[in-house]
Amino acid sequence: MTKERKEELKNLCFKFRNDLIDLLYSIQTGHPGGSLSSTEIITTLFFEEMNIDPKNPNKEGRDRFIMSKGHGCPMLYLNMAEKGYFPKEDLKTLRQVDSYLQGHPCAHKTPGIELSTGPLGIGLGAGLGMALGEKLKNSTANIYVLLGDGEIQEGGIWEAAMAASKFKVNNLIAILDNNGVQLDGTLEEIMPMGNIGNKFEAFGWNVIHCDGHDVESISDAINQAKKSKDKPTIIIAKTVKGKGISFMEGKNTWHGKPIGEEEYKLAKAELEGVV
Amino acid sequence: MVEKIAIRDAYGKALLNLGKKNEKVVVLESDVGNSTKSILFGKEFPKRYFNVGISEFNMVSMSAGFACEGFIPFINTFAVFMTTRGADPMQSLIAYDKLNVKIAGTYAGLSDSYDGASHQAITDISFVRSIPNMTVISVSDPIETEKAVEAIAEYDGPVYLRLSRAAAPIIFDENYDFKIGKGVQLRTGKDVAIIATGTILHNALEAAELLKEVGIEATVINIHTIKPIDEEIIINAAKFTGAVVTVEEHSIHGGLGSAVSEVLSKYCPTPMEFVGAVDFAESGDYNQLLEKYGYGPKAIVEKVKMVINKKTN
């Protein structure tokens, strides 16, 4: 990745963080913590790695993105609007009556959303079905599934992990938003996941680690994943929940809390300081 | 002695034939392929057959992915596990996005008799019926099974197909015109309407014969599509007879009986009685279980007599 490109993507991520705070403050609902931690991951996918066409969202052979940690969708919607899937002015309708932007991703309402998600743990199995479907069609498309690290406490994740290994879907690339925090506390407090990489390796997966807030590190990891011959890949992206807003960072309380007026001012001042 | 064919054999054969005609059909199985008979498809089309092991949640989730890709997945396991372990992705993926998945829940009712209550399905209809977008079909004989498999493959949307393990007497012939959402009147009598679903329909027909011997004329209706239900045939039968008994191998709470009473209480309030499960059953010979738990022809006759007593005129 060239320095210029890296700078462009970094600026885009900064803009998305800024817009996210404005958006979630304006609607007084939604999940800031997990949206901020996945900013660089989603942006790298949508603006650097995925073969997608917002003008033709159902194009055959396109790469697929599944936001299995569906609650982080405000960041996904910001990316999709920027990409051109729908008008940016519609973002303010998020979570409001009659909007096509639901509180959790909804495939039958929002163009470009591949799968409805929200109940945690269902995205990996569905992604596996898509990966096998693409293989039946002799397509070289990749299926990307963004997982939360709290989400992988769901048993369905491990059922899918087992099966993905059996079916040798090298076109299935899971990315773990490894922010270490879930709704009620840290993973260590609530349900320690131990060595996640070793767990997936034991399930027969190709495991890659990266810095989840460095677009180049994410991009390199994805390109390494694409080289896998007969294994699904999980990219364990080290992230910080609430990344970019100091008082939100690492705090489980910011999983899904509305942003107050004072907090909004603080957050904006911090973001302006970055510019 | 009437000819009997196991519903699962009819299903397995129908699935195999469908696979020959339609390359979009893929089959997912969770380690009971020799029981559901999905294995017949798997042997012929190994590349379109995915055995995911004992993981129903994952099977249902995966099928959603296949449907997103334009395939027509048929997914298979025992009805009780499909609608409990597979319930989450069935509701949140398949039904919510109206995905074109065909959910075959086999060994329904008490038909997995020797395995006991843990393997018998008496709550599946009530769950799937309450989910928006879901079509619910429960077949009564081998011919209807074959016709239903063809029909649901043509229909674009999620379908729950309820199948028995039992060997069922053949009721219909090859000319039988199966239409999703259309009930079938098999017998017309003015005193009572017996409305049944699934292989237990045969007992309803036997009950009608017993009733005839004591001078009671019964209408018998087969409701193979529990959702969307054929309101017209139910209302007409209720108006014609003034008394209705529903018969199903399922809990009387939330199944066919509830569906029929929802229709009648709205359009044509009619005295009703319900043949169905009020408790978990147990291990044992299938026919003995049906007798013990009140699904036999004689038990249906008793319910008919009770409902006729409730008629006001």
Side-chain angles (χ1 to χ4, degrees), chain B residues 109-144:
Chain B
L110 308 189
S111 67
D112 193 13
S113 68
Y114 291 108
D115 278 336
S118 62
H119 283 54
Q120 296 160 2
I122 57 167
T123 58
D124 54 330
I125 296 174
S126 67
F127 170 62
V128 292
R129 193 171 78 84
S130 67
I131 311 173
N133 295 334
M134 193 70 89
T135 292
V136 180
I137 291 175
S138 150
V139 290
S140 61
D141 91 335
I143 303 285
E144 191 168 76

Side-chain angles (χ1 to χ4, degrees), chain B residues 122-261:
Chain B
I122 57 167
T123 58
D124 54 330
I125 296 174
S126 67
F127 170 62
V128 292
R129 193 171 78 84
S130 67
I131 311 173
N133 295 334
M134 193 70 89
T135 292
V136 180
I137 291 175
S138 150
V139 290
S140 61
D141 91 335
I143 303 285
E144 191 168 76
T145 305
E146 287 173 30
K147 302 265 181 184
V149 167
E150 284 173 27
I152 66 174
E154 289 295 316
Y155 168 78
D156 184 12
V159 178
Y160 179 71
L161 177 65
R162 189 179 208 240
L163 302 162
S164 173
R165 181 188 194 278
I170 293 176
I171 297 169
F172 299 102
D173 63 31
E174 285 299 333
N175 298 320
Y176 172 45
D177 184 20
F178 177 92
K179 281 203 176 66
I180 295 173
K182 291 299 278 182
V184 183
Q185 188 153 336
L186 293 162
R187 187 178 174 118
T188 303
K190 64 180 181 357
D191 298 320
V192 67
I194 306 174
I195 301 178
T197 193
T199 51
I200 201 77
L201 171 66
H202 183 71
N203 284 7
L205 289 165
E206 277 192 23
E209 285 297 322
L210 295 176
L211 287 163
K212 190 184 167 78
E213 288 168 17
V214 294
I216 297 171
E217 294 295 336
T219 290
V220 177
I221 290 170
N222 169 31
I223 293 291
H224 53 67
T225 307
I226 297 171
K227 187 187 172 190
I229 202 159
D230 185 346
E231 294 182 338
E232 197 184 343
I233 201 169
I234 291 167
I235 295 165
N236 287 343
K239 282 182 178 163
F240 183 63
T241 61
V244 169
V245 174
T246 54
V247 180
E248 62 193 309
E249 270 181 74
H250 184 275
S251 169
I252 59 167
H253 304 292
L256 173 74
S258 299
V260 169
S261 59

Side-chain angles (χ1 to χ4, degrees), chain A residues 64 106-108 115-116 119 121-122 125-126 128-130 132-134 136-137 156 159-160 163 166, chain B residues 26 47-48 50-52 55-58 61-62 64-66 68-69 71 88-89 92-93 96-97:
Chain A
R64 310 296 203 279
C106 177
H108 59 270
L115 185 83
S116 293
I122 54 177
L128 168 57
M130 287 186 193
L132 287 166
E134 285 297 300
L136 279 178
K137 293 193 238 174
E159 290 188 5
K166 167 184 166 173
Chain B
V26 295
K47 285 185 177 153
R48 287 192 274 147
F50 303 90
N51 196 328
V52 304
S55 57
E56 297 81 8
F57 179 100
N58 185 46
S61 304
M62 278 176 69
F66 275 108
C68 290
E69 293 280 328
F71 290 95
D88 172 353
S92 56
L93 291 176
Y96 187 45
D97 281 342

Side-chain angles (χ1 to χ4, degrees), chain A:
Chain A
M1 187 180 286
T2 65
K3 268 195 178 134
E4 291 73 23
R5 183 63 184 147
K6 187 170 178 178
E7 210 49 39
E8 276 173 27
L9 289 172
K10 269 174 79 173
N11 290 338
L12 204 49
C13 289
F14 176 75
K15 178 184 136 49
F16 288 144
R17 283 205 166 84
N18 210 350
D19 292 349
L20 181 95
I21 297 299
D22 286 341
L23 177 60
L24 296 192
Y25 175 64
S26 76
I27 61 175
Q28 285 296 298
T29 174
H31 296 79
S35 294
L36 290 166
S37 66
S38 59
T39 308
E40 281 78 11
I41 298 168
I42 298 176
T43 307
T44 306
L45 283 169
F46 273 76
F47 288 88
E48 185 69 13
E49 296 299 339
M50 285 203 296
N51 169 27
I52 46 174
D53 178 5
K55 297 286 169 283
N56 187 5
N58 298 320
K59 187 179 71 173
E60 277 293 314
R62 70 192 180 279
D63 290 333
R64 310 296 203 279
F65 177 71
I66 297 173
M67 184 107 190
S68 195
K69 49 164 287 187
H71 55 280
C73 63
M75 185 50 71
L76 173 61
Y77 295 152
L78 287 166
N79 270 265
M80 291 176 76
E82 183 71 28
K83 193 85 187 166
Y85 282 95
F86 44 80
K88 285 183 200 172
E89 58 261 34
D90 290 353
L91 284 166
K92 62 178 184 293
T93 68
L94 168 60
R95 289 186 162 234
Q96 309 304 308
V97 174
D98 290 337
S99 175
Y100 58 84
L101 299 174
Q102 294 296 294
H104 289 85
C106 177
H108 59 270
K109 287 192 196 290
T110 312
I113 295 285
E114 301 283 1
L115 185 83
S116 293
T117 50
L120 296 172
I122 54 177
L124 194 59
L128 168 57
M130 287 186 193
L132 287 166
E134 285 297 300
K135 282 200 178 288
L136 279 178
K137 293 193 238 174
N138 297 314
S139 152
T140 55
N142 288 303
I143 315 296
Y144 297 95
V145 182
L146 181 57
L147 301 170
D149 55 3
E151 176 180 19
I152 64 172
Q153 292 161 2
E154 288 284 0
I157 292 293
W158 301 100
E159 290 188 5
M162 211 163 40
S165 176
K166 167 184 166 173
F167 294 117
K168 303 185 193 308
V169 279
N170 61 337
N171 56 344
L172 179 65
I173 301 174
I175 304 179
L176 186 75
D177 182 353
N178 191 194
N179 63 33
V181 181
Q182 53 191 115
L183 195 152
D184 269 347
T186 64
L187 266 70
E188 282 311 308
E189 290 167 336
I190 306 303
M191 183 51 68
M193 291 308 293
N195 189 323
I196 295 170
N198 285 357
K199 283 190 166 128
F200 273 92
E201 220 164 76
F203 274 72
W205 283 56
N206 179 33
V207 178
I208 300 170
H209 294 269
C210 80
D211 177 347
H213 294 306
D214 178 336
V215 290
E216 188 173 7
S217 175
I218 297 165
S219 171
D220 288 347
I222 289 169
N223 284 294
Q224 202 184 323
K226 285 179 183 169
K227 290 179 191 147
S228 175
K229 288 274 183 291
D230 57 1
K231 286 180 178 180
T233 295
I234 182 157
I235 296 169
I236 300 179
K238 188 80 198 89
T239 58
V240 175
K241 192 145 180 162
K243 173 74 176 177
I245 312 296
S246 63
F247 60 86
M248 292 186 183
E249 288 190 359
K251 300 279 196 325
N252 68 293
T253 45
W254 283 101
H255 175 84
K257 191 169 95 158
I259 303 169
E261 196 182 334
E262 285 308 309
E263 293 156 340
Y264 175 69
K265 284 179 188 159
L266 268 175
K268 293 296 282 187
E270 253 192 66
L271 287 165
E272 272 160 30
V274 179
V275 178

Side-chain angles (χ1 to χ4, degrees), chain B residues 52-104:
Chain B
V52 304
I54 308 160
S55 57
E56 297 81 8
F57 179 100
N58 185 46
M59 175 176 69
V60 182
S61 304
M62 278 176 69
S63 73
F66 275 108
C68 290
E69 293 280 328
F71 290 95
I72 308 171
F74 274 70
I75 62 177
N76 303 274
T77 186
F78 294 6
V80 64
F81 304 135
M82 187 71 88
T83 54
T84 54
R85 280 113 193 262
D88 172 353
M90 191 187 302
Q91 173 166 313
S92 56
L93 291 176
I94 294 174
Y96 187 45
D97 281 342
K98 220 176 170 185
L99 296 174
N100 196 17
V101 179
K102 314 307 167 187
I103 304 157

